[in-house]
Amino acid sequence: MARRVVGQSPFQHYLSFFRSHSYAVGKCADGFGYPCQQAFRTDLCSTALDDRPNAESKELKRMLKEELKQRVKERYYKDLHDYRNRKPPTPEEMLLQNIEKARRKVAWTRQMLIPFQLLGDQPANYDPEILTSEQLHYVKKIGRKNQNYVPVGKRGIYGGTIQNMHLNWKKHETVQIDCHMFPFEQVNDMAEDLAKLSGGIVIEIIKDKKIIILYRGKNYVRPENIIPKNTLDKRKALKKALYEKSMYAVLRNITRLEEQLRVLRQTMAHDIAANSLQQQCSLEVENSGLHNQESSVVDNKLCYKDEPRHESSAVT
C-alpha cells in the first residue's frame, strides 16, 4: 500500500487505496465521463455499473459510491480488529519472519544490481605478458617505491577509475589502487575487474593496506578512449554502491539473526531437557514415597497381628 499523505486519516488512505486499485472509471467513445464496460470490477461490490438500469443516472452513481464506501469502511474496521486482536508471535517465529524478510530484500537488491554489472571485455590488443621471477621482483620493487596511486571511493570501479589509471601509466610503469574502504574479500574481485577493463597486469595485492599494484606491461599502448564505453558513469556507480552497501548490511543482519536463532533453539532444547529430567525425578520421588508408605502399612499390620499373642501369653 502506498504511503499515507500528511494530514490524511487512516480510513481515507484505505479508501483511496481501494479506489485506485479496484474502482476504475473511464470515458466512453462519446467522450462523457460515464463508466466504460467492465470498468467497475471489485471484490467489494459484486455488481458492475453497466449491469444495472439507468447507469447514466447521477443518483445511481451516488448510491454505488455510498455502498462502496460503506463496504470499504466495514472491511477497514474488520482488518483493524483482526490486526489488534492477532495472536502475538513467539520469539522463534519473530526471528524466522525477520530472516525471511531480510532474504527477500537481498534477492530484490541482487535483481536491482543486474543492470549495473561491469560487462567490460578485454581490449583487442591485450596481450598479457609472462614475467619471470626476476622481472616480477623488479616490478614489485618499483611498484612499492612509486608513490602514485588512484583512490577507489564509495562509488567503486567506474569509468573515472580507469581513466586515472591510464593517466598514471603515462609517466609511470606501475600504479597503486587504494581500496581501503572495502573488505579484503572484495579487493580480489576488484583486482580482476581492473585488469580486465584497463588491460594491465596485477603484480601484487598488499593485504594489510588493501592496495593493488598493477603493471602496464612492456607493450603498453595508450588506447584512444581511456574511458571504456561499457563502464558506469558517476551517477550509476553511486546507485550501485548504495545498493551494494544495503545488501551487505542486510547480509550481516541475517548472520546476526541466524546466530540469535541458533542460541534460542539451544536454550529451548536445554530447558525442555531440564524439565523432562525434573519430571522424571519427581516421578521417582513419588514412587519411592508410595513404596515407603506401603511398607509402613505392612509393618503396622504385622505389629497389629503380633499384639494379641503378647496379651494371651500375659494372661496365662
Side-chain angles (χ1 to χ4, degrees):
M1 188 178 289
R3 186 174 294 179
R4 183 158 58 96
V5 183
V6 178
Q8 188 181 26
S9 66
F11 173 69
Q12 291 174 349
H13 175 58
Y14 202 80
L15 181 61
S16 64
F17 171 76
F18 275 100
R19 279 178 177 173
S20 60
H21 288 75
S22 303
Y23 180 66
V25 176
K27 289 187 177 182
C28 296
D30 54 359
F32 294 97
Y34 298 128
C36 298
Q37 188 177 5
Q38 295 183 353
F40 188 90
R41 290 289 185 268
T42 175
D43 57 340
L44 300 178
C45 189
S46 58
T47 15
L49 187 61
D50 291 341
D51 295 339
R52 298 190 179 188
N54 301 326
E56 300 178 359
S57 172
K58 292 183 179 180
E59 185 66 21
L60 180 59
K61 290 199 293 186
R62 187 188 63 80
M63 291 171 58
L64 287 176
K65 287 183 180 179
E66 290 294 332
E67 182 182 358
L68 176 64
K69 189 174 180 180
Q70 182 65 26
R71 295 197 180 191
V72 168
K73 191 174 182 180
E74 293 175 0
R75 176 79 171 269
Y76 169 74
Y77 285 112
K78 180 180 179 300
D79 294 346
L80 185 63
H81 180 268
D82 295 341
Y83 176 76
R84 288 179 176 176
N85 296 329
R86 70 188 186 281
K87 184 180 178 181
T90 61
E92 185 179 5
E93 291 176 352
M94 289 181 65
L95 286 174
L96 289 172
Q97 290 176 5
N98 292 335
I99 290 172
E100 183 63 27
K101 184 178 178 181
R103 286 176 178 167
R104 288 199 303 268
K105 186 174 182 181
V106 169
W108 175 81
T109 309
R110 284 177 177 163
Q111 290 292 327
M112 297 300 293
L113 280 171
I114 290 175
F116 300 104
Q117 290 180 355
L118 289 174
L119 302 176
D121 297 328
Q122 295 175 348
N125 57 351
Y126 179 65
D127 185 15
E129 303 172 8
I130 300 174
L131 301 177
T132 62
S133 58
E134 293 82 4
Q135 291 174 343
L136 186 62
H137 176 73
Y138 172 74
V139 174
K140 279 185 181 180
K141 189 175 180 181
I142 293 177
R144 286 177 173 269
K145 186 177 180 180
N146 291 338
Q147 298 299 322
N148 59 309
Y149 71 97
V150 175
V152 179
K154 62 181 180 180
R155 288 181 173 85
I157 299 172
Y158 66 103
T161 309
I162 310 302
Q163 181 184 17
N164 291 334
M165 290 175 62
H166 285 293
L167 292 175
N168 276 270
W169 281 339
K170 185 177 180 181
K171 295 183 179 180
H172 303 277
E173 293 183 347
T174 60
V175 63
Q176 295 182 5
I177 310 297
D178 187 4
C179 308
H180 69 278
M181 296 183 64
F182 300 89
F184 186 74
E185 292 78 12
Q186 286 184 258
V187 174
N188 295 324
D189 299 335
M190 293 172 70
E192 295 179 3
D193 293 337
L194 288 169
K196 182 188 297 185
L197 293 170
S198 64
I201 303 171
V202 179
I203 298 301
E204 187 181 7
I205 299 177
I206 303 175
K207 187 174 181 180
D208 54 347
K209 297 182 180 180
K210 297 179 183 178
I211 291 177
I212 306 169
I213 300 176
L214 284 100
Y215 175 53
R216 69 181 184 181
K218 294 180 181 179
N219 304 324
Y220 171 71
V221 178
R222 186 176 178 181
E224 296 180 0
N225 297 325
I226 57 177
I227 300 179
K229 296 181 180 179
N230 42 20
T231 54
L232 304 175
D233 56 4
K234 259 187 165 182
R235 185 175 296 178
K236 291 183 179 179
L238 183 59
K239 283 186 178 180
K240 178 186 176 183
L242 293 176
Y243 281 131
E244 287 180 345
K245 185 177 179 181
S246 173
M247 186 178 68
Y248 288 126
V250 175
L251 287 173
R252 288 195 297 270
N253 190 29
I254 288 175
T255 305
R256 182 179 60 83
L257 291 173
E258 287 177 348
E259 181 66 21
Q260 290 182 4
L261 182 63
R262 186 184 63 81
V263 173
L264 179 64
R265 285 176 173 172
Q266 285 183 355
T267 307
M268 291 171 62
H270 178 72
D271 293 343
I272 291 172
N275 292 334
S276 62
L277 182 62
Q278 186 177 2
Q279 290 177 1
Q280 187 177 359
C281 293
S282 61
L283 288 174
E284 290 179 357
V285 169
E286 289 178 1
N287 293 333
S288 62
L290 291 174
H291 180 70
N292 295 333
Q293 187 176 1
E294 290 176 358
S295 61
S296 62
V297 169
V298 171
D299 293 340
N300 292 334
K301 286 182 179 180
L302 292 174
C303 294
Y304 181 74
K305 288 180 181 180
D306 293 340
E307 283 178 1
R309 294 178 182 178
H310 293 299
E311 290 178 358
S312 61
S313 61
V315 170
T316 55

